[in-house]
Amino acid sequence: MTTRRQILIGSASAALLPACKAGNLNRPLLATDHHPEGYPTVAAVRHMGELLSARTDGRLNVKMFAGGQLGSERDTLEITTFGGLDINRVAIAPLNAIEPMTIVPSLPFLFRSTAHMRMALDGPAGDEILASLKPHGLIGLCFYDSGERCFYNTKKPILTPEDMKGMKIRVQNSDLYVSMIKALGADATPMSLSEVYQSLVQGVIDGAENNWPSYQSGGHYTPAPYYSLTRHVMAPEVLVMSASRWEKLSTGDRDIVMQAAKESVPFMRDLWDKRVNDARAALLGEGVKANEVADLSAFSAKMKPVWDRYVVTDRQKALVKSIENLEA
Ligand code: GTR
């Protein structure tokens, strides 16, 4: 039986065909992002493309398909692993089902601050997570910031986990986040980002969780104006490349690609910090009711069984420890 996902993946692949000219290695690197043009992740990959082009006299460059036009992150990842797409910027959550090491930076309340998160991902911990993607047909190029994810909903401010009782909360497609929501006493509904706005409007869900820029760019604040600063997850975005395309690059070109990706990180962070501040200010100006949460430990205390369930291998445990021990 042909599933809806297979049809979607098929139509995305068909959309790529004109740009692809299968087997033509002179074609641009085909890149995709769920976010619209102008979003910091999209701008960063465009910047990377400019660096590539400048450093190879236009031999290497990037063609970007932004705005989720090729489907959900889960679907485009599948296309990337079989080589239909070359570069993909995704959240780390859809990689959780593929590679257990990606669970670690996705853990609720792991990172103590933005500085801590950046230090971990810029160092050996980050390198280990990126390298863990290789057996899955993906080359991890770099991490981008995704800020602090917070809960928002259509009903009321969340001050304690008790306030979430019975609420239907959308999560990304990751079992870890389904368990996180259940541990907080709410009901989890995994769905793709593009379905969230309509689901909030129709009351299919009561809330979701995300950073300020995504809350703004998806328009979710209109149906769900209560934004509670739980800062429960600081999981990063990841930029991956299809291993099959990577293997066709010369060693010299691989270095150029890796270097351009690394240089796009500080570029992205500058845009990101500004975007977070602008989104916050604009949304507060539009009447979003944001509230601080006095006792975050009431939320983090409930995460112990979630960590225990998902951090199981020795490698994961060692990675958690090495990140916890960083002094940022
Ligand atoms: C955003 C992230 C997206 C997407 C989204 C989501 O913060 O940038 O890649 O994963 O969250 O909630 O699905």
Side-chain angles (χ1 to χ4, degrees), residues 73-117:
E73 293 185 342
R74 206 158 56 133
D75 293 343
T76 60
L77 266 176
E78 209 166 314
I79 300 172
T80 311
T81 52
F82 68 67
L85 271 165
D86 303 314
I87 292 183
N88 199 349
R89 195 293 308 165
V90 287
I92 201 159
L95 288 161
N96 289 169
I98 301 175
E99 171 48 52
M101 292 300 271
T102 66
I103 294 276
V104 174
S106 313
L107 289 170
F109 300 105
L110 171 75
F111 297 119
R112 298 183 293 270
S113 63
T114 300
H116 182 212
M117 179 268 296

Side-chain angles (χ1 to χ4, degrees), residues 13-81:
S13 306
L16 287 167
L17 272 180
C20 244
K21 295 207 188 71
N24 174 10
L25 291 181
N26 294 323
R27 64 167 170 73
L29 297 169
L30 306 177
T32 191
D33 193 310
H34 205 78
H35 285 302
E37 249 352 299
Y39 199 86
T41 50
V42 178
V45 175
R46 284 203 176 283
H47 177 68
M48 175 184 163
E50 283 158 16
L51 294 177
L52 288 180
S53 181
R55 290 168 188 179
T56 62
D57 283 332
R59 197 168 41 76
L60 291 179
N61 50 61
V62 167
K63 181 167 171 56
M64 166 61 78
F65 295 83
Q69 53 183 299
L70 301 181
S72 73
E73 293 185 342
R74 206 158 56 133
D75 293 343
T76 60
L77 266 176
E78 209 166 314
I79 300 172
T80 311
T81 52

Side-chain angles (χ1 to χ4, degrees), residues 34-35 39 73 89-91 146 149 170 172 193 209-211 214 237:
H34 205 78
H35 285 302
Y39 199 86
E73 293 185 342
R89 195 293 308 165
V90 287
S146 195
R149 292 181 81 99
R170 175 269 173 173
Q172 300 176 86
L193 185 62
E209 43 89 58
N210 221 315
N211 51 50
S214 291
E237 319 280 10

Side-chain angles (χ1 to χ4, degrees), residues 39 76 95 160 166 186 193 198 200 233 283:
Y39 199 86
T76 60
L95 288 161
T160 68
L193 185 62
Q198 210 49 36
L200 286 168
V233 163
L283 293 179

Side-chain angles (χ1 to χ4, degrees), residues 237-257:
E237 319 280 10
V238 197
L239 189 66
V240 293
M241 181 159 179
S242 146
S244 66
R245 183 68 198 266
W246 176 260
E247 271 143 28
K248 288 179 193 118
L249 294 176
S250 67
T251 330
D253 281 353
R254 286 182 200 170
D255 290 346
I256 294 173
V257 169

